[in-house]
Amino acid sequence: MKQRAVLVSAFVLMIVFVLVTVSFFSSALSAKQNTSIIIPTLTPTPTLASIPTPTPTPSPTPMPLVNGLSASLLDVASGRTLLNVNSHMHLPMWSTTKLMTALLAIERLSPDRMVTVQQAELDEVPSGMSIAFLQSNDQLSVRDLLYALLLPSGSDAAIVLAHEVSGNTASFVALMNARAGQLGLTDTHYSNPHGAAEPDHYSSAADLVKLARVAMGYPFFAQIVSTQSFHLPPTLYHHKYPWDNILNTFLQSYPGADGIKTGSNSAGDDWCMVFSAYQHGHLLIGAEMRAPSQDQVIIDAKNILDRGFTS
């Protein structure tokens, strides 16, 4: 009986040993299989929102042909207006006023006539105006005074010439307005012979071109405005006067350029220019008003002329 119990116990222990062994090898095999399985990492499919959109390169903004408020361009031979940008707008014309002053002096005085500069005339020039630095009691010819008027834009020369033509400034201004009426300058009114700011002193781009066309018809006027410098040596009758043309940058850099005149306010942020050039058998005369700087109005003049000569 005792022997039988021992055999039963041994049998039971064997069964337990077999079960434990089977369980051990089954777990080991399962662990090995699990370590050999590689779970792939899924890469998300990009959506439209996640794809960066390339930023377009902006095109450069072209510079406008006219940076002032108004402009006009005329083909003198044909009489055809090639550009009209607010050309009848009334605006200050500053020292381009001196075109009319020069025209009246040429029409009414001999270029060889001698004129004595008076101190009272020099005292009449408004403060801040451009001058030719004329000296009291100097004796100069009308020819010399016209160079002084148009090259360095001498407001002192404007007063001296006005007095020589009409006796005093007020009567000369009346003559300026009468001549403007004769020429059909319906957008123009003068209050002085030099261009100082006054409420009733204005013109338009169209009128400036019209006036310049008449003035350029006088060879002496055309010769002066195309001259780059005019230097008077000292004599027994007058001091030394070295005058250079304010328009030299334009005259020296644009093919065929032959004048004419600039003007500006004292702050230098309001410029006008009357310009002329001859190319390919065509004389073009133009004007721009209320440009922001001297450099800009000269650039605009060149671009306007380029457009005109190719049109």
Side-chain angles (χ1 to χ4, degrees), residues 2-60:
K2 185 178 178 179
Q3 186 176 11
R4 184 179 177 184
V6 170
L7 289 173
V8 170
S9 297
F11 180 76
V12 170
L13 286 174
M14 188 185 312
I15 291 174
V16 170
F17 176 80
V18 170
L19 290 175
V20 170
T21 301
V22 169
S23 175
F24 173 81
F25 282 105
S26 175
S27 297
L29 179 61
S30 176
K32 184 176 180 180
Q33 288 175 343
N34 288 340
T35 59
S36 63
I37 297 173
I38 300 175
I39 301 175
T41 302
L42 297 179
T43 303
T45 302
T47 64
L48 289 177
S50 65
I51 299 175
T53 303
T55 303
T57 303
S59 301

Side-chain angles (χ1 to χ4, degrees), residues 124-176:
E124 194 179 316
V125 179
S127 175
M129 295 294 291
S130 57
I131 58 175
F133 297 96
L134 300 182
Q135 300 292 312
S136 178
N137 297 319
D138 274 8
Q139 297 179 30
L140 299 167
S141 68
V142 169
R143 176 185 291 103
D144 296 339
L145 288 169
L146 284 166
Y147 277 101
L149 175 73
L150 295 171
L151 267 62
S153 195
S155 299
D156 44 4
I159 297 293
V160 173
L161 285 168
H163 285 212
E164 192 65 23
V165 170
S166 299
N168 59 69
T169 303
S171 60
F172 185 78
V173 170
L175 190 62
M176 295 172 78

Side-chain angles (χ1 to χ4, degrees), residues 35-104:
T35 59
S36 63
I37 297 173
I38 300 175
I39 301 175
T41 302
L42 297 179
T43 303
T45 302
T47 64
L48 289 177
S50 65
I51 299 175
T53 303
T55 303
T57 303
S59 301
T61 304
M63 287 294 291
L65 181 67
V66 175
N67 288 274
L69 284 185
S70 70
S72 181
L73 183 67
L74 175 73
D75 185 325
V76 173
S78 67
R80 187 164 60 104
T81 297
L82 304 179
L83 177 70
N84 180 352
V85 178
N86 302 319
S87 67
H88 292 281
M89 181 181 289
H90 294 184
L91 294 167
M93 69 283 214
W94 309 116
S95 281
T96 59
T97 300
K98 291 161 185 166
L99 298 182
M100 178 62 85
T101 303
L103 178 64
L104 289 173

Side-chain angles (χ1 to χ4, degrees), residues 41-310:
T41 302
L42 297 179
T43 303
T45 302
T47 64
L48 289 177
S50 65
I51 299 175
T53 303
T55 303
T57 303
S59 301
T61 304
M63 287 294 291
L65 181 67
V66 175
N67 288 274
L69 284 185
S70 70
S72 181
L73 183 67
L74 175 73
D75 185 325
V76 173
S78 67
R80 187 164 60 104
T81 297
L82 304 179
L83 177 70
N84 180 352
V85 178
N86 302 319
S87 67
H88 292 281
M89 181 181 289
H90 294 184
L91 294 167
M93 69 283 214
W94 309 116
S95 281
T96 59
T97 300
K98 291 161 185 166
L99 298 182
M100 178 62 85
T101 303
L103 178 64
L104 289 173
I106 289 172
E107 290 178 338
R108 292 173 174 262
L109 300 173
S110 166
D112 296 322
R113 179 168 173 166
M114 298 304 295
V115 180
T116 300
V117 178
Q118 305 294 327
Q119 185 60 48
E121 295 168 337
L122 302 180
D123 293 341
E124 194 179 316
V125 179
S127 175
M129 295 294 291
S130 57
I131 58 175
F133 297 96
L134 300 182
Q135 300 292 312
S136 178
N137 297 319
D138 274 8
Q139 297 179 30
L140 299 167
S141 68
V142 169
R143 176 185 291 103
D144 296 339
L145 288 169
L146 284 166
Y147 277 101
L149 175 73
L150 295 171
L151 267 62
S153 195
S155 299
D156 44 4
I159 297 293
V160 173
L161 285 168
H163 285 212
E164 192 65 23
V165 170
S166 299
N168 59 69
T169 303
S171 60
F172 185 78
V173 170
L175 190 62
M176 295 172 78
N177 285 311
R179 190 72 176 103
Q182 293 170 358
L183 296 175
L185 308 184
T186 56
D187 303 318
T188 299
H189 188 271
Y190 296 104
S191 297
N192 60 68
H194 38 64
E198 294 191 43
D200 229 15
H201 192 83
Y202 57 83
S203 189
S204 70
D207 275 6
L208 287 176
V209 169
K210 192 180 296 184
L211 172 61
R213 181 182 187 181
V214 174
M216 290 294 279
Y218 288 89
F220 181 39
F221 178 91
Q223 174 189 328
I224 294 174
V225 296
S226 65
T227 301
Q228 295 184 25
S229 64
F230 185 79
H231 293 182
L232 279 178
T235 70
L236 293 174
Y237 305 100
H238 58 71
H239 290 78
K240 175 183 178 180
Y241 291 107
W243 295 315
D244 294 322
N245 198 329
I246 291 175
L247 273 182
N248 274 346
T249 300
F250 174 65
L251 294 174
Q252 294 169 3
S253 61
Y254 191 81
D258 54 5
I260 300 172
K261 188 79 184 70
T262 59
S264 73
N265 63 351
S266 58
D269 58 5
D270 180 355
W271 281 81
C272 54
M273 180 175 173
V274 185
F275 47 90
S276 174
Y278 184 83
Q279 289 184 19
H280 317 301
H282 290 270
L283 175 64
L284 303 187
I285 296 177
E288 181 175 288
M289 304 183 76
R290 193 59 68 81
S293 69
Q294 183 180 24
D295 288 344
Q296 189 63 64
V297 79
I298 290 176
I299 290 171
D300 287 358
K302 293 177 180 179
N303 290 336
I304 291 170
L305 287 168
D306 282 345
R307 177 76 62 85
F309 282 122
T310 57

